[in-house]
């Protein structure tokens, strides 16, 4: 069961290309009454393959999609206003802004760039580097592929630090992905290199409470913005 005001990574089955499983990557932010919320993703719906554009839309329950494999909690969700603001700023399809190491813009690349922008602008504090989130997200989806259409919704961050538990159904599914980075090996020897922590320290609002004359931090709220676009109704999910 999904939790209120939570940002999830969603992975939907696309195909197997002969080498690995391919997924559609997105971000799902729940509102006060989950599973309802908003889906943010890069899609080519209605266009040629990989002619991507940004879309944000209201959804009733993404887990009802027949192609949904898994929904993974990342962090507490910022407001819809801020999510939409920073997600729409990603220069999708502009080759001059394609991240190093990527051959083309994809929904996966867009998700990583959106998470980095949200983190950089202090809207979220990522629990791990985006490359680690990508690696473990893909690994978890591969392991739970047999659950497609009835996806698990994982509400803790255990999927980022250990091999997901599977039952006999997922054990029969061939695994095509690569083994994710084992960050726990650094804990075996305190003298070994410690992996860099990429999360920013959360804003300490309590310092403003020391004096009544000091500036009080502005409250941005957690209730999603209800725009005219979203008021037209829920999507097919």
């Amino acid at each position: 069961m999904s939790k209120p005001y939570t940002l999830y990574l969603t992975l939907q089955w696309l195909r197997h290309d002969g080498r690995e499983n391919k997924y559609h990557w997105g971000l799902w932010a729940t509102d006060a009454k989950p599973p309802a919320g908003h889906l943010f993703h890069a899609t080519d719906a209605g266009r040629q393959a990989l002619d991507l554009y940004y879309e944000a839309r209201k959804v009733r329950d993404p887990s009802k999609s027949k192609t949904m494999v898994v929904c993974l909690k990342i962090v507490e969700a910022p407001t819809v206003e801020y999510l939409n603001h920073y997600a729409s700023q990603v220069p999708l399809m502009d080759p001059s802004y394609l991240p190093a190491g990527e051959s083309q813009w994809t929904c996966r690349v867009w998700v990583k760039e959106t998470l980095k922008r949200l983190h950089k602008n202090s809207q979220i504090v990522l629990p791990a580097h985006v490359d680690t989130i990508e690696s473990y997200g893909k690994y978890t989806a591969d392991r739970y592929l047999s659950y497609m259409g009835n996806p698990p919704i994982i509400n803790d961050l255990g999927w980022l630090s250990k091999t997901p538990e599977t039952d006999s159904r997922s054990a029969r599914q061939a695994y095509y992905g690569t083994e994710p980075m084992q960050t726990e090996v650094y804990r075996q020897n305190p003298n070994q290199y410690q992996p860099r922590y990429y999360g920013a320290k959360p804003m300490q609002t309590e310092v403003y409470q020391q004096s009544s004359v000091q500036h009080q931090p502005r409250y941005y709220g957690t209730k999603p913005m209800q725009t005219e676009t979203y008021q037209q109704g829920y999507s097919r999910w």
Side-chain angles (χ1 to χ4, degrees):
M1 180 180 296
S2 54
K3 302 295 184 181
Y5 300 121
T6 301
L7 186 63
Y8 293 91
L9 172 65
T10 62
L11 291 104
Q12 294 174 261
W13 166 257
L14 289 177
R15 63 188 178 279
H16 185 266
D17 66 358
R19 185 175 61 90
E20 63 178 349
N21 297 317
K22 295 293 185 179
Y23 299 97
H24 179 67
W25 298 60
L27 296 172
W28 166 35
T30 57
D31 59 23
K33 296 181 179 180
H38 296 80
L39 177 71
F40 304 85
H41 65 155
T43 178
D44 59 7
R47 296 185 179 182
Q48 295 182 348
L50 291 177
D51 182 13
L52 301 172
Y53 60 94
Y54 166 66
E55 181 184 53
R57 57 188 173 90
K58 196 170 185 178
V59 292
R60 188 183 299 275
D61 186 357
S63 67
K64 297 298 184 181
S65 170
K66 294 181 179 180
T67 59
M68 188 67 74
V69 175
V70 70
C71 302
L72 305 170
K73 175 185 175 179
I74 302 174
V75 72
E76 183 177 338
T79 63
V80 172
E81 296 98 322
Y82 285 113
L83 261 171
N84 184 62
H85 174 72
Y86 290 108
S88 63
Q89 286 187 345
V90 175
L92 183 62
M93 303 306 290
D94 188 336
S96 62
Y97 287 94
L98 186 64
E102 300 290 352
S103 60
Q104 63 185 135
W105 280 99
T106 65
C107 56
R108 172 187 55 80
V109 175
W110 177 87
V111 163
K112 292 175 65 178
E113 291 303 296
T114 297
L115 290 176
K116 286 194 289 187
R117 280 180 179 261
L118 290 169
H119 176 82
K120 181 179 179 180
N121 289 278
S122 302
Q123 297 305 308
I124 61 173
V125 177
L126 288 174
H129 190 273
V130 289
D131 290 339
T132 303
I133 292 173
E134 174 192 9
S135 179
Y136 275 98
K138 172 67 164 56
Y139 179 83
T140 306
D142 284 340
R143 299 293 290 181
Y144 284 108
L145 186 55
S146 62
Y147 288 77
M148 183 170 58
N150 186 29
I153 299 175
I154 300 178
N155 287 303
D156 59 58
L157 298 176
W159 63 275
L160 279 170
S161 60
K162 63 182 180 181
T163 302
E165 295 180 0
T166 59
D167 65 8
S168 58
R169 290 183 296 167
S170 56
R172 291 195 298 268
Q173 174 63 41
Y175 172 59
Y176 300 98
T178 57
E179 186 73 13
M181 179 175 63
Q182 299 298 320
T183 56
E184 61 269 22
V185 298
Y186 296 111
R187 304 191 189 105
Q188 296 174 2
N189 186 340
N191 296 320
Q192 286 182 306
Y193 170 76
Q194 296 297 316
R196 179 181 177 186
Y197 172 62
Y198 293 89
K201 186 176 181 181
M203 180 175 64
Q204 300 298 317
T205 57
E206 61 268 21
V207 298
Y208 296 108
Q209 299 171 1
Q210 297 175 2
S211 171
S212 59
V213 298
Q214 288 181 305
H215 173 67
Q216 295 297 316
R218 181 180 179 185
Y219 171 64
Y220 292 96
T222 55
K223 186 175 181 181
M225 176 180 66
Q226 299 298 319
T227 65
E228 293 181 0
T229 301
Y230 297 136
Q231 293 171 357
Q232 293 176 0
Y234 288 98
S235 72
R236 62 183 180 277
W237 286 0

